[in-house]
Amino acid sequence: MTFEARELTPDRSARDLFGAELRRHRETAGMSLRRLSEVVNYSKSQLARIEAAESLPYDDLPTKLDVCFGTGELFARLHAVAKKEPFPGKYRRVISEIESRATVIEEYASATIPGLLQTRELAQESLRFGNPYASDAEVESLVQARMDRQALLERPKPPRCWFILDEAVLRRPVGERKVMRQQLAYLTKAGARPHLTLQVLPFAAGGHAEAGGSLMLYTLPRQPLTAYEEGSHSGTVIENQSDVAARRENYDLLRAMALSPRDSEAMIQVAMEDWTPCEPPQT
């Protein structure tokens, strides 16, 4: 498989700088990704994602790179700074340059509650699962960054938001039962906001083109529609208008297949009751 080198912005992101320095030193040494993977005992695909600033390495890799390239503590120091950034480069562009300016946000979520609608408790649980080697302080930094994103919903003129939630996100436990119940109770309150619409896509709707991932559509002032697709470990900004149009059609079909906002609220209420904490047995 051929990996296409992504353009990096090392002047704006420590993650990009880490990837750019890795790429520069590897190419200067005349090493392919495959050869480097053999030296540092990392997979070629992992190294490709790190070079593209799509993920950070585990803590052991920077030292191995410094030894391999004779760079002292360069990669160790870059790694220490990059770990403090709450979002990798691709996500940061979506959040700071696209989401923050959008007048309309439309999202389909198949695996978990959208970040804009998460309670702090659910965010803590989900980010801990996604970052098993992170320290408590690093997880808390990610949680706070997610909470800060939600400020756009409280602006005097917030974006018009439309969320379609797969039924799975109501049923899959994340943390303790009380965390799920509190989260679903929050959803019912969020759905009552005049600028926000919630729909649930029930299991009975069957298969569809966006199954297994998440899709966001962003309407920005005086700009073409932008789409963003996200998987479990990566995301893609889509700006080619023919590709965006295909995602627009997919989203509109999901909206037609989903329950009405009123019926969706009723399903959320039922699911919330299912997450009522169990009473201890009587003795």
Side-chain angles (χ1 to χ4, degrees):
M1 178 178 179
T2 300
F3 294 93
E4 183 177 349
R6 183 179 74 84
E7 182 180 354
L8 299 169
T9 53
D11 58 325
R12 296 168 54 191
S13 163
R15 289 174 185 254
D16 277 46
L17 181 57
F18 189 101
E21 286 298 303
L22 173 54
R23 182 180 297 166
R24 183 173 71 85
H25 281 84
R26 177 179 62 78
E27 291 178 347
T28 299
M31 299 178 71
S32 65
L33 280 170
R34 183 175 301 280
R35 175 54 184 152
L36 181 60
S37 73
E38 295 169 351
V39 173
V40 297
N41 196 29
Y42 257 62
S43 74
K44 178 183 174 182
S45 60
Q46 282 178 308
L47 290 174
R49 288 194 296 271
I50 293 165
E51 274 199 7
E54 292 178 358
S55 66
L56 276 179
Y58 296 140
D59 289 346
D60 64 327
L61 181 61
T63 299
K64 290 181 178 180
L65 293 175
D66 282 326
V67 172
C68 175
F69 298 125
T71 48
E73 297 182 348
L74 171 65
F75 286 100
R77 291 176 176 174
L78 287 176
H79 185 241
V81 175
K83 286 197 301 182
K84 296 177 182 179
E85 292 183 339
F87 302 110
K90 187 175 297 185
Y91 299 100
R92 185 169 49 257
R93 184 196 169 198
V94 172
I95 291 165
S96 65
E97 299 179 20
I98 300 176
E99 182 178 89
S100 64
R101 298 171 49 227
T103 57
V104 180
I105 297 174
E106 299 163 281
E107 179 169 355
Y108 164 68
S110 69
T112 189
I113 302 292
L116 288 174
L117 297 178
Q118 288 185 5
T119 62
R120 177 175 286 273
E121 291 75 17
L122 188 118
Q124 288 172 333
E125 295 288 348
S126 61
L127 288 167
R128 170 56 69 189
F129 292 147
N131 300 273
Y133 300 102
S135 67
D136 290 344
E138 289 167 342
V139 171
E140 183 55 34
S141 175
L142 294 171
V143 171
Q144 189 56 52
R146 183 163 294 180
M147 295 298 100
D148 290 345
R149 284 177 59 201
Q150 298 180 6
L152 67 85
L153 300 180
E154 307 295 335
R155 294 190 308 216
K157 191 175 180 180
R160 179 70 175 90
C161 295
W162 201 301
F163 295 96
I164 301 174
L165 311 181
D166 196 281
E167 184 178 349
V169 309
L170 310 180
R171 306 295 185 184
R172 181 177 293 108
V174 180
E176 298 180 0
R177 298 174 70 89
K178 65 179 181 181
V179 171
M180 290 297 298
R181 182 177 173 83
Q182 291 170 354
Q183 174 63 72
L184 298 193
Y186 179 75
L187 285 182
T188 62
K189 294 179 181 179
R193 298 179 180 183
H195 65 279
L196 196 152
T197 299
L198 276 178
Q199 287 184 270
V200 175
L201 184 70
F203 292 140
H208 56 84
E210 296 295 331
S214 295
L215 170 65
M216 280 72 87
L217 299 173
Y218 296 103
T219 301
L220 280 71
R222 298 176 297 280
Q223 287 187 223
L225 186 68
T226 300
Y228 177 66
E229 284 185 329
E230 187 172 87
S232 59
H233 297 292
S234 63
T236 303
V237 177
I238 302 169
E239 295 174 288
N240 178 282
Q241 287 304 292
S242 62
D243 294 333
V244 172
R247 272 63 174 191
R248 167 84 276 170
E249 182 178 354
N250 289 347
Y251 193 87
D252 289 344
L253 286 172
L254 290 174
R255 181 153 38 204
M257 295 163 64
L259 300 176
S260 69
R262 179 174 295 181
D263 289 343
S264 296
E265 181 182 2
M267 177 174 277
I268 293 172
Q269 292 279 3
V270 170
M272 185 173 69
E273 292 305 313
D274 291 342
W275 291 116
T276 300
C278 299
E279 294 292 334
Q282 298 293 325
T283 57

